[in-house]
Amino acid sequence: MKEHIHTAYKGEIYGISFFSYFANNYTDKSHYQLWEVLIDVEVLTAKLLEPYLDKHSIEFDKHDTDMQLKGIKDAKFWVDLPWNQLVQTLTNWVEPYEEKYRLWAEDAKEDIHAFTLIADHETAIFQCWKAEINGTSGVPVLLRFIKQYSTV
């Protein structure tokens, strides 16, 4: 299961690139804070996963060009969607990952804290988008995640 930690880490690099593209290119700038906080969640999670990668001698690249380019490519595909459609699309997109990572955490026999972090990360993003669907800001959900894991 240690390979899952590396997969999740690469997902953080992807997410940083994906959300950064939105922060820089989404035309409705009223959502800028949300993009910035999403980036903060991705950066924090990546940073917290690095010791687990080191522990298992798994090489990782903080600047994984393939994952960065994939994040940008996927963001470009959706960046022109109107807000309500974008939020629904991202909610649907994140949901299966949230379920998968929660199962990883439930099945973990070692590195339980890493898998809990991975699951909590995805749950926070999923709940953020669900809040946005309901017309409320998802930022507080993300800030709770950051607060919880910044003190770890």
Side-chain angles (χ1 to χ4, degrees), residues 3 25 34 36 45 55 59 64 70 88 103 105 123-124 139:
E3 305 82 28
N25 295 284
L34 175 62
E36 286 297 305
T45 305
K55 171 185 165 185
E59 289 187 31
D64 184 325
K70 184 172 176 11
Q88 187 63 58
L103 289 174
T123 297
V139 170

Side-chain angles (χ1 to χ4, degrees), residues 12 15-16 19 31-44 83 90 121 124-125 128-129 139 142 146:
E12 306 319 312
I16 293 165
F19 294 129
H31 305 290
Y32 186 77
Q33 181 190 19
L34 175 62
W35 301 124
E36 286 297 305
V37 178
L38 283 159
I39 294 163
D40 291 345
V41 166
E42 300 289 333
V43 169
L44 175 63
W83 183 249
L90 292 175
H121 160 96
I125 293 173
C128 161
W129 291 123
V139 170
L142 300 172
I146 291 169

Side-chain angles (χ1 to χ4, degrees), residues 9 14 22 29 44 47 49 53 55 62 79 81 85 87 91 93 97 105 113 117 125 127 129 131:
Y9 181 81
Y14 168 95
F22 274 94
K29 297 302 180 193
L44 175 63
K47 179 181 170 188
L49 289 176
L53 297 170
K55 171 185 165 185
K62 293 179 183 184
V79 74
L81 291 177
Q85 187 179 356
V87 168
T91 304
W93 182 52
Y97 289 100
H113 294 299
L117 165 66
I125 293 173
Q127 290 179 349
W129 291 123

